[in-house]
Structure formats: C-alpha cells, structure tokens
Amino acid sequence: MLEDEYPVTSLCWAAGVSRSAYYKWKKSRYDISKREKENKKIEELIIKINEKYNGTYGVKRLCSYINSNTEFKVNHKRIYRIMRELGVKSIIRNQSYKGKSWSGKIADNILNRDFSSEKPLEKLCMDITEIKMYNFTVYMNAVKDVFNDEIIAYDLGFTDGFELVVKTLDKIFKFPLEEKCILHTDQGFQYTGKEYCDMLKERGIIQSMSRRGNCWDNVPIEIFFGHFKAELIYLLDRGITYEDLSQKIKNYIDFYNNERIQLKLGGISPVKYREKYTKIKMYNSNTTLVKVK
C-alpha cells in the first residue's frame, strides 16, 4: 500500500484532500452508517409485513407501521425507494361501482356524506356485495360503524334477498345503539321494502339512503368491500369450498377490526381506536355466518 511507503500527509497533498477527510473515508469503509442500519431494519420490517399480510400494506400503511415500531422516523418516499430496491409491490386494486336497483319506498339521504361521528353506534353504513367462486356465488351483507370503521355485523347467504338483511339486523338490534342512530344504505330492493322500513322505525333507527345510483353517498362500506376483495377474495383459489371461504372471511373480519391499522385513525386498528376513546368494549366478538337458502 502507498501509505506504507509514503507519508500520509504527502499522499493527501497529491490527491488534493485533507488528512481528516482521508481518515474519515478510511473509517467509513469499516463502520456501517446509522442510516444503513436503519435501512436494514426497514428492509426486514417490509419483508416481514409483506409476507404476513400478503402484500396488502401499501407505502403509506407501511410507513405508519414502521414509524410505530422503530425508534427512528421515516417518510413514505424512503419506504417507496426501499420497496423498489427489494422488488416488493403492494396489491393495487381497481374499484368499479355498479348502480343499484330501486323500488319501494325511498328514504331521504339523511347522512348526506357526513362521514364523521363522535361516538360508536351513532352512524352505520350497510351494503351487500357479491362473491363469485367456481362452484357457487355468495352474497355478503355487512355493516360498518362510521365512528371507527369497524365492521360490527355481517352475514353470508346464497341469495341477496331480504332474508339475508334480516339476519344482520337481528345482530344490530342487540347493540346499545345511540338514540336516533342513522342506518345508511343504497336504494337496493332489500332496503326499500315496507318490512325493512317498519323494522327500523319500530326501534327508533333513522333510515337514510344514497341518491339513485350514487355510490359515493355510501363510500365507507364501499371502501371496506374494496379492501376486502383486494386483500382476500381476489387472492383465493376460486375452487375453494363454502366452509373454507366462510372461515377465511371470518378470519379477515377479525384481522380488519383488530389488527389492520387505519391511517385515518392515527395508525391503529378500529377496535384499538374504539377502546382508546370510549368505554364501550367489544360488542360483536362472536359474529357467526349463516347460510340463507
């Protein structure tokens, strides 16, 4: 090596660098920088979360998770760059909305896109979605609490008729609903019949409906169905049995409510948010799936 034959000062002069810069460079060859250590930790967490949740965590959600589980803070640009270097990609979902049928009594849009609530069980959004497998088609009716985005009730059925909705309503009616609780739906035929309207009226629940064919009026539950299908249904083997599908849906709802962090909730899950800001404990921990034939 040249430094064994010539003085370091002379070599630094010839190279046009200071002695301090030389020794700093020499030391850096052997010491891992603080940023490199952080990047290594970030890489480990990204790989771990990506595998655990099947790639359903995007850049912003990963950023929130890493900031909550490390002593240092990162921004989404750094997360995105490291994801590209690792070749990690999150699931990208394309939302498509279909207009709903309308018949019977149409209620006013009381909710009027006011998706804010100061207490649980004050504003609820409900809708039905179709799940197609190779050998059967299942319909899912679900209810979301606007307060913390928690799915408080749901049911599966082989038909999308009023019988499916009744099963879900029976669960909702057992909850300690707020006085003048609003239950918002679209104008689907299941929600416009006289029997449905009478059931809500008898219990003092205010019926609210989206405008005709306007999915944005019921966007909280639409967003859930988007995540639900992108993070579970589209990843399943379409030859799955009904029993296996039912169990996987049950597991996903539990994950969505108890583990899946929500950026709008400050990076915590719906249940943790409810328990943090209210005294209401888990009020629907034993939701069951019912075949409606």
Side-chain angles (χ1 to χ4, degrees), residues 200-221:
L200 299 191
K201 187 175 181 180
E202 288 173 4
R203 290 163 178 81
I205 298 175
I206 299 175
Q207 185 178 6
S208 175
M209 281 188 177
S210 302
R211 290 166 294 177
R212 178 169 150 178
N214 195 318
C215 62
W216 297 107
D217 287 347
N218 202 13
V219 75
I221 194 67

Side-chain angles (χ1 to χ4, degrees), residues 98-110 126-128 183-193 196-197 207-215 217-218 222:
K98 296 179 180 179
K100 307 293 183 179
S101 61
W102 48 90
S103 60
K105 183 179 179 181
I106 307 301
D108 292 333
N109 184 7
I110 305 298
M126 180 165 65
D127 198 7
I128 294 177
L183 179 54
H184 186 85
T185 67
D186 59 22
Q187 294 185 22
F189 70 92
Q190 306 91 340
Y191 310 127
T192 58
Y196 173 83
C197 298
Q207 185 178 6
S208 175
M209 281 188 177
S210 302
R211 290 166 294 177
R212 178 169 150 178
N214 195 318
C215 62
D217 287 347
N218 202 13
E222 296 283 3

Side-chain angles (χ1 to χ4, degrees), residues 154-156 171 242-243 245-250 287-291:
Y154 69 98
D155 283 284
L156 296 180
K171 293 171 181 170
Y242 173 80
E243 288 70 23
L245 174 64
S246 299
Q247 186 60 49
K248 288 185 179 297
I249 290 176
K250 184 176 181 179
T287 301
T288 57
L289 298 171
V290 180
K291 289 186 179 182

